[in-house]
Structure formats: structure tokens, C-alpha cells
Amino acid sequence: MAITLTSVAPPGAVERVRTWFTERPRMADAALSVALMVVLGWMIQAEQGGFRVPDTLAYVCAFALGALLMLRRSFPLLVLFLSLVILLAYSSLGYPNIGLGIPLAPALYSAAERHRLRWPVTIVGLLLFLIFAAGLAAAYVRETDTHLLSLFIYTLAPEIALMAAVIALGDSLRSRRELAERSARVIEATAQQERALAQAVAATERADIARELHDTLGHQTTVISMHTDVAAEALPHKPEAAQRALSVIADTSRQMMSQLRDTVQTLREHEVRPPLLSIRALETTVFANSPLEIDADIAVPHQYQHNVEAAAYRIVQEALTNTAKHSTAGTVQVQIRPQGSSLEVKVCDPGPPRGQLGSISSGMGILGMKERVAALGGTLEAGPKDLGFQVRALLPVSAESWQKEAAPA
């Protein structure tokens, strides 16, 4: 069996040096400053061009051009302007030629990398204008022909090419940095939107679960409580009625446990599965187990979408629960029928109430009903009527929302 060993080559010397200087920007500026001083000093020492022998002032100009680079990160435009002034002063004194591109290249790069192209290009344009103006003035004073084209081709073209290259390099790095910053902001904004959306979804799911628990368990608890009272009163004299009440209590308790298990399973699976509820199921579930006498008037010619059917079911269930808890009425009127482009759900008890009606109107049950209706774009009114209490909801429906034809109720 052959075994292949692979190794990762260590970074080269150039890469290590680049990384070292990147992590130490001040050291990089100092190295660049010294390098420019050395190059300019060597060019001055070569004594190419000019009509004045270099002296201490010439080397002071070279030192100043290099020393200014220590400020290039904080004040790039100031460094560029002062470098131009020093270079023009050096050239006007007739010292040996040191060119234009090398003394100004670091300052032009820093200005382009920190700012837009306007200032570096303006400085270069101004410098070229001054050179041509000086050439024309010299030709006029000396009354000689000045070959400006030859001056441009043989002297200025390489200098302009170098300055254009460093300006383009600085602008490219600035554009890449701004693009990276914009991308980072977009990524952060997207992440924030995703977090906000996830929080909104989680809040909606929690509200849905809270409504389901309140409507389901609240109703079933009320049923158990009412039938417990019935069983307690009927046990001495009407054992059959007590037995029926206890049977309802047992069935309701089993339903509660089943629904609790379903809810816990839903939470563990991180998936909210709403129960399958329908208007037709009211008769065999809510009406059958209610201790109240239900006067139902349900005329629904179609089976609607699940959210409409479920909302109507829960509204009736919660309204009956509130009646059993807060009203002395023994009979409740339930009416469900189409009304124009809406489905009207009305639950009304004649009263009178056991306590203050304000506790009913501001309770969690009414709030849950309003949230269900608002989610469908409908309206809900809940409040006193005569001596009793009425809940009336209008749920928007349309022919497109009908799932299938159903026989009239």
C-alpha cells in the first residue's frame, strides 16, 4: 500500500516581507521614505542636467520629499501639494534633473488611493501646463525655437506614463476597497433582514401556537368545569345524567392530552401544522360537548379555504367558551351564512352576564379572535347587546376560495 505525503510549502520571502509591512504601516512608510531619499540623492549626485552644482539645499529638498511620505496616510492631499511645491522650487534653482515621476509617484498614489482622481489628475495637469509655459517663455526670451514635441516625446512622455500608472494603481485599490466595504454593508444588511425576518416568523408562530392553546385548551377546560358541576349536582338524584357528564369529562380530557402531545411534537419538529378544522365539524365537536343549548343557523353552500373554515370554527368555539364562563344564559344563538363577498359569523347570548362585561371584551380570547380575522383582512365586533353579548365577524371570501361544492347545511 502506497502512502502519499503532502506538505504545504511555507510562504516565500517576498510574501513574508509583504505581510510584515502590511501589519506595520508606519514601518512601510518609513522604508518608502528612506528609499525615495536614497534614489533622489543618487540622482542628484549623478549631476545629470541642470546648471547648478548640487549643494546642501539640493539634498535638503530630497530629504523633505522623502520625509513627507510619513504623513501620506493622514494627509495625502497636503503631502501631494507640498511635494509639488518642493519639486518646483528645486527645479527653478537649476539643480540636477531628478525628473517628475519618481519624486511625485508616492504622493500621487496616496492621493488617488485615499481620494478620487480629481486632485491627482489636476496636479499633474497643472505641472505639465507650467512646464510647457516655462518652455514657451524661455523660447520667447532667448528668441530660439523650442521643439515642444521633442520635449514631450523624449522627456515628458516617460514621466507622464509613470505618474498615470501610479494614479491608476491607487484608484484601483481605492475602488476595490470601496467595493469590499459596500459588499460588507450589503451582507450585514442582508443578515440583519434575515434575522428580523426569522424573529418575525418566530413571533408569528408563537402567536399562532398561543391562540391555538388558548382556544382549544380554554374551551375544553371550560367544558370539563361545567360538566363537573353538572355531575356534582346530578349525582345524588340523577345518576344517569351524572354518568353522561363524567363521560364528557373523560372524552374531553383525552382530547386535551392528545392535543397537548400533538403540540409538543410540533414544537420539537420545528414545524407548525394547524389542526384540520371546518364549519361542519362544529356540530360533532364544539356543539356536542358544550353544556349550553345551541340554537344553530348555519347555511354554508360551499366549503371554503382552510384558513376561513378554521377562523370561523375558532371564533364560534371561543365565543361559546366566553358565554359559558361569563354569562348566565343557557341558550346561545350561532349564525353562519354568506353575506355578499364575506362569510358572516355571529354568536349571541341573551345574558345577563355574571360579572363585568369589560373583562370579556379585553380578554385574550377576544384578542385572539381579532388577530385571526385581521389575518384574513376581515372585521370583528365584540361587545354588549341588550342584556347579553354578541360576537360578529365578517371573513372575506370569493368564488375562487371555494374548494368544492357542499350540500346546504
Side-chain angles (χ1 to χ4, degrees):
M1 180 176 60
I3 300 177
T4 303
L5 299 178
T6 59
S7 61
V8 179
V14 176
E15 182 65 22
R16 290 198 299 270
V17 171
R18 188 187 69 82
T19 303
W20 191 87
F21 278 117
T22 301
E23 297 174 351
R24 299 167 177 82
R26 289 300 179 185
M27 295 298 296
D29 292 343
L32 182 61
S33 175
V34 172
L36 183 61
M37 292 178 189
V38 171
V39 171
L40 295 180
W42 176 79
M43 296 175 68
I44 294 173
Q45 184 67 27
E47 297 187 12
Q48 298 293 323
F51 55 86
R52 182 174 178 177
V53 177
D55 52 17
T56 303
L57 182 59
Y59 292 101
V60 169
C61 291
F63 176 82
L65 288 171
L68 282 174
L69 297 183
M70 296 298 296
L71 304 176
R72 70 184 186 92
R73 297 180 189 273
S74 302
F75 309 100
L77 293 180
L78 178 62
V79 169
L80 177 59
F81 177 75
L82 293 179
S83 298
L84 177 62
V85 171
I86 293 173
L87 181 61
L88 291 177
Y90 175 89
S91 300
S92 65
L93 294 175
Y95 287 122
N97 182 29
I98 59 175
L100 303 175
I102 293 179
L104 294 180
L108 289 172
Y109 167 82
S110 300
E113 194 266 339
R114 293 290 175 175
H115 299 277
R116 300 279 177 182
L117 293 177
R118 181 180 62 180
W119 283 107
V121 172
T122 301
I123 293 296
V124 172
L126 177 62
L127 179 60
L128 295 178
F129 172 78
L130 293 177
I131 291 174
F132 276 95
L136 290 174
Y140 177 78
V141 171
R142 299 175 184 176
E143 297 183 354
T144 60
D145 294 334
T146 301
H147 301 287
L148 295 180
L149 181 60
S150 299
L151 174 65
F152 175 80
I153 295 176
Y154 294 107
T155 305
L156 294 181
E159 303 288 347
I160 294 175
L162 176 59
M163 290 187 290
V166 297
I167 291 174
L169 177 61
D171 184 68
S172 174
L173 293 178
R174 178 192 56 77
S175 300
R176 290 172 57 186
R177 183 182 67 249
E178 291 179 352
L179 178 60
E181 292 174 352
R182 287 196 297 268
S183 300
R185 289 194 295 267
V186 170
I187 292 173
E188 177 61 25
T190 303
Q192 291 179 355
Q193 291 178 352
E194 291 178 351
R195 288 194 294 268
L197 179 60
Q199 292 174 356
V201 171
T204 301
E205 291 180 350
R206 289 196 299 269
D208 292 341
I209 294 173
R211 283 195 299 268
E212 291 296 330
L213 290 176
H214 178 274
D215 294 348
T216 304
L217 300 184
H219 171 74
Q220 292 169 338
T221 303
T222 302
V223 170
I224 292 175
S225 175
M226 298 294 291
H227 281 85
T228 300
D229 294 339
V230 170
E233 294 178 0
L235 186 60
H237 308 290
K238 299 180 180 179
E240 295 83 2
Q243 184 65 32
R244 288 194 299 269
L246 292 175
S247 178
V248 172
I249 292 173
D251 292 340
T252 305
S253 300
R254 285 192 292 269
Q255 292 176 10
M256 289 179 64
M257 292 302 300
S258 177
Q259 290 174 355
L260 281 176
R261 284 194 297 268
D262 292 342
T263 301
V264 172
Q265 184 67 23
T266 297
L267 294 176
R268 288 185 178 276
E269 294 176 355
H270 304 285
E271 179 183 358
V272 177
R273 297 192 302 270
L276 298 177
L277 306 175
S278 67
I279 297 174
R280 293 185 173 279
L282 286 170
E283 185 176 356
T284 58
T285 56
V286 177
F287 295 169
N289 296 330
S290 177
L292 302 171
E293 182 179 348
I294 309 299
D295 181 10
D297 179 13
I298 300 177
V300 181
H302 304 281
Q303 182 173 345
Y304 299 98
Q305 287 182 335
H306 168 70
N307 53 359
V308 176
E309 296 266 341
Y313 183 100
R314 290 304 192 194
I315 290 171
V316 173
Q317 182 186 55
E318 180 59 28
L320 293 179
T321 301
N322 286 341
T323 300
K325 289 166 47 178
H326 302 290
S327 177
T328 60
T331 302
V332 180
Q333 295 178 349
V334 177
Q335 179 178 312
I336 304 176
R337 60 177 60 250
Q339 185 177 21
S341 61
S342 300
L343 180 67
E344 183 185 44
V345 180
K346 186 187 298 185
V347 180
C348 181
D349 73 88
R354 286 194 175 94
Q356 296 295 327
L357 289 177
S359 61
I360 305 176
S361 303
S362 60
M364 295 299 297
I366 299 297
L367 176 62
M369 285 190 281
K370 290 182 178 179
E371 291 176 347
R372 290 182 186 277
V373 175
L376 298 176
T379 59
L380 183 135
E381 300 174 355
K385 183 179 181 182
D386 298 331
L387 295 179
F389 195 87
Q390 176 178 282
V391 174
R392 180 176 179 267
L394 290 177
L395 308 178
V397 295
S398 61
E400 289 76 7
S401 70
W402 302 340
Q403 291 182 334
K404 62 181 179 180
E405 294 289 339

